[in-house]
Amino acid sequence: MCTAATYKTKDFYMGRTLDYEFSYGEQIAITPRNYEFDFRFAGKIKSHYALIGMAFVAEGYPLYYDAVNEKGLGMAGLNFVGNAAYEEALPEDETEVSQVAQFEFIPWILTQCATVAEAREKLATMRLTGTAFSEQLPTAQLHWIIADKDSCIVVESMKDGLHVYDNPVGVLTNNPPFPSQMFALNNYAGVSRKQPESTFAGVLQLDAYSRGMGGMGIPGDLSSQSRFVKVAFTKLNSISGEEEDESVSQFFHILGSVDQQRGCCEVTEGKYEITIYTSCCNTAKGIYYYTTYDNHQITAVDMHAENLDSDQLICYPLLSKGEVRWQNK
Ligand SMILES: C[C@H](CCC(=O)NCCS(=O)(=O)O)[C@H]1CC[C@H]2[C@@H]3CC[C@@H]4C[C@H](O)CC[C@]4(C)[C@H]3C[C@H](O)[C@]12C
């Protein structure tokens, strides 16, 4: 499972958790403006917006899980198992629109679009194909969240075509499809950050004996529908200072509300899903912050500290070992 969220204070932030039972060996990858993208069907793009994000680098190619470009447009791919269905690639002369393999969808959009509005235009003239990157890396079943500081959409490629939905909460998890996830919020219309009134029945005066009782009913399990509700409530009620430190700290608390602890979700005998990493990107500044399961210290990589006119990928391995800061020895 995974969860993605957006958050706006003075700047706009976007990030995700990646929950899984093993890691591919992903890294922070910065793709500078002159790295040549050789798209499977759509040709080469030699000069483009620079990207920063989390990627598994295979044969020198950044297979992005989530990324942001220098214009402040961000995108993340999350599992959508059982619902994702892609197009078959057609011979070039049989299609008018650009064909894009699912593994190159993030670079396709982020190298060329500065805003969600521009991404929507690209989406209207493309076919997303199920083409695998390689035999060892078969097609992933994903759906995507795309956001800038003003709007947010979800893209789902299903048997009945490519859907593009407005996302007014700025949150995405996994199954079921996005419209169902949103609909489920109706079940929680009564929850609140405020203490409940005693409205159970006129004859009973019930007591709010603890703080936080307005949120009673919000699910706490790790299913994707439950995480959607939990993180939507947390995000939409979030209050923080506007400054960078306060915003980033709050962002990690938002995604922390759906953190997965080893042992609570068994996927196969003896294998447990955990939150491998949590990310938070300041989309305006191009800074990628992250924590890992064992390293709670927020670590950051700034794309603008690199030569963005280069043509070579720049990678930073995840710092995944935690450190205790001793105070008395
Ligand atoms: C496993 C992850 C989702 C985690 C998740 O959601 N786990 C809950 C399971 S569940 O929701 O409960 O069922 C997803 C998210 C992004 C994916 C990569 C995207 C690029 C690339 C695409 C290629 O085609 C295949 C290889 C590739 C490196 C992908 C590997 C893997 O697929 C990644 C890491």
Side-chain angles (χ1 to χ4, degrees), residues 214-236:
M216 272 199 159
I218 290 175
D221 68 278
L222 294 174
S223 69
S224 45
Q225 179 66 75
S226 295
R227 282 180 289 110
F228 185 86
V229 174
K230 170 91 191 185
V231 81
F233 178 81
T234 310
K235 178 220 155 143
L236 295 173

Side-chain angles (χ1 to χ4, degrees), residues 1-2 18-20 24 63-65 77 79 81 102-103 138-140 142 174 273:
M1 290 161 265
C2 301
L18 184 108
D19 306 329
Y20 217 48
Y24 285 77
L63 288 163
Y64 277 110
Y65 306 3
N79 259 12
V81 175
Q102 50 74 40
F103 65 82
T139 304
L142 305 173
N174 309 106
E273 186 160 302

Side-chain angles (χ1 to χ4, degrees), residues 49-52 67-75 109-115 281-284 286 303-304:
Y49 298 138
L51 320 179
I52 183 167
V68 160
N69 70 15
E70 60 182 304
K71 292 288 171 187
L73 184 67
M75 187 164 172
I109 295 294
L110 296 188
T111 52
Q112 305 182 84
C113 305
T115 61
C281 200
N282 179 323
T283 66
M303 79 190 285
H304 294 288

